[in-house]
Amino acid sequence: MSVNRAQRVDLDVVADLIPPNSRVLDVGSGDGVLLELLQETRQVDGRGMELSQRGVNECVARGLSVIQGDADKDLGFYPDKGFDFVVLSQTLQATRNPKRVLDELLRIGNRAIVSFPNFGHWRVRFSLLIKGRMPVTKDLPYSWYDTPNIHFCTIRDFVNLCEELGATVEKATALDANGQKIGLSMPWWFWNFFGQQAVFLLKR
């Protein structure tokens, strides 16, 4: 089954951060598109965890080793430094306790990779300012009353959380609305305003 990643511009950024043959845990695997990409292009030893039974079924149909589990409750069963990389892609904002989940990622993996939509993007700010309504965008496609996202954050918020947890940002990439990388030399405030989503490589 081929990888359909046209709607997920962060996937190639995540894949580029992972060396071949790494041990990877993909938390919040969804339909398995990222884990499949990593196995095809990086030959990783990959495992996954997904909350929804439908997602688990789709992953298994792709031939992936994915179990049903809740990031808020089940990460504690994994051993310290059991993986080279733990990936949480577009899932942090849907967890009940993002701080605890990120802390667990940093415990389980030698490195953690986290991607998320940036609630500080100018389109979001504009929608709130002009329309006075919660925005609906490509990266935030749900209406406020049916969204799985319960903890929106900005890039600046995430950087502050990393500091609280004693995590080192080894690499970070912000992507604009077209999926293009924003220059690394730009300051955090620029990323926070123009980055539609972000990908962070962390260690502790």
Side-chain angles (χ1 to χ4, degrees), residues 62-76:
R62 292 178 184 268
L64 304 172
S65 178
V66 175
I67 62 171
Q68 189 169 20
D70 186 338
D72 282 299
K73 300 176 181 178
D74 298 326
L75 290 176

Side-chain angles (χ1 to χ4, degrees), residues 37 50 56 75 87 90 106 132 135 164 199:
L37 173 65
E50 168 56 30
V56 173
L75 290 176
V87 180
Q90 303 292 328
L106 292 165
E164 283 187 36
V199 181

Side-chain angles (χ1 to χ4, degrees), residues 16-37:
D16 286 343
L17 295 171
I18 299 178
N21 304 310
S22 297
R23 294 168 298 140
V24 176
L25 175 64
D26 181 23
V27 180
S29 299
D31 61 2
V33 66
L34 174 60
L35 197 54
E36 185 180 60
L37 173 65

Side-chain angles (χ1 to χ4, degrees), residues 83-137:
F83 294 86
D84 299 315
F85 293 87
V86 182
V87 180
L88 190 72
S89 177
Q90 303 292 328
T91 303
L92 184 68
Q93 71 280 358
T95 62
R96 294 191 177 278
N97 193 328
K99 184 176 182 180
R100 184 172 63 193
V101 169
L102 183 56
D103 191 45
E104 285 287 81
L105 301 183
L106 292 165
R107 177 187 65 81
I108 297 168
N110 293 322
R111 300 287 190 281
I113 298 175
V114 181
S115 70
F116 56 92
N118 174 32
F119 203 68
H121 184 260
W122 72 266
R123 290 184 188 275
V124 175
R125 301 183 193 213
F126 183 80
S127 180
L128 286 169
L129 178 65
I130 302 300
K131 298 179 181 179
R133 300 179 60 183
M134 292 294 288
V136 176
T137 68

Side-chain angles (χ1 to χ4, degrees), residues 2-198:
S2 63
V3 175
N4 178 13
R5 55 184 189 274
Q7 302 302 316
R8 289 288 307 279
V9 296
D10 62 311
L11 296 185
D12 288 327
V13 176
V14 171
D16 286 343
L17 295 171
I18 299 178
N21 304 310
S22 297
R23 294 168 298 140
V24 176
L25 175 64
D26 181 23
V27 180
S29 299
D31 61 2
V33 66
L34 174 60
L35 197 54
E36 185 180 60
L37 173 65
L38 293 175
Q39 290 190 346
E40 288 181 354
T41 63
R42 294 294 186 269
Q43 294 75 51
V44 303
D45 177 7
R47 303 288 184 271
M49 173 194 288
E50 168 56 30
L51 180 61
S52 73
Q53 185 60 57
R54 178 179 177 180
V56 173
N57 293 344
E58 290 178 347
C59 290
V60 171
R62 292 178 184 268
L64 304 172
S65 178
V66 175
I67 62 171
Q68 189 169 20
D70 186 338
D72 282 299
K73 300 176 181 178
D74 298 326
L75 290 176
F77 294 110
Y78 289 92
D80 294 357
K81 305 306 178 187
F83 294 86
D84 299 315
F85 293 87
V86 182
V87 180
L88 190 72
S89 177
Q90 303 292 328
T91 303
L92 184 68
Q93 71 280 358
T95 62
R96 294 191 177 278
N97 193 328
K99 184 176 182 180
R100 184 172 63 193
V101 169
L102 183 56
D103 191 45
E104 285 287 81
L105 301 183
L106 292 165
R107 177 187 65 81
I108 297 168
N110 293 322
R111 300 287 190 281
I113 298 175
V114 181
S115 70
F116 56 92
N118 174 32
F119 203 68
H121 184 260
W122 72 266
R123 290 184 188 275
V124 175
R125 301 183 193 213
F126 183 80
S127 180
L128 286 169
L129 178 65
I130 302 300
K131 298 179 181 179
R133 300 179 60 183
M134 292 294 288
V136 176
T137 68
K138 181 182 69 173
D139 292 304
L140 299 168
Y142 301 96
S143 296
W144 67 270
Y145 52 82
D146 67 354
T147 179
N149 301 320
I150 56 178
H151 288 291
F152 292 109
C153 74
T154 69
I155 292 174
R156 187 177 292 275
D157 287 329
F158 185 78
V159 171
N160 289 343
L161 177 58
C162 291
E163 292 173 354
E164 283 187 36
L165 291 172
T168 300
V169 177
E170 287 198 326
K171 290 184 180 179
T173 301
L175 303 170
D176 65 20
N178 297 315
Q180 300 299 311
K181 295 180 181 180
I182 295 176
L184 295 176
S185 61
M186 296 300 181
W188 286 121
W189 71 262
F190 190 93
W191 282 31
N192 206 42
F193 194 78
F194 291 105
Q196 192 149 315
Q197 55 183 310

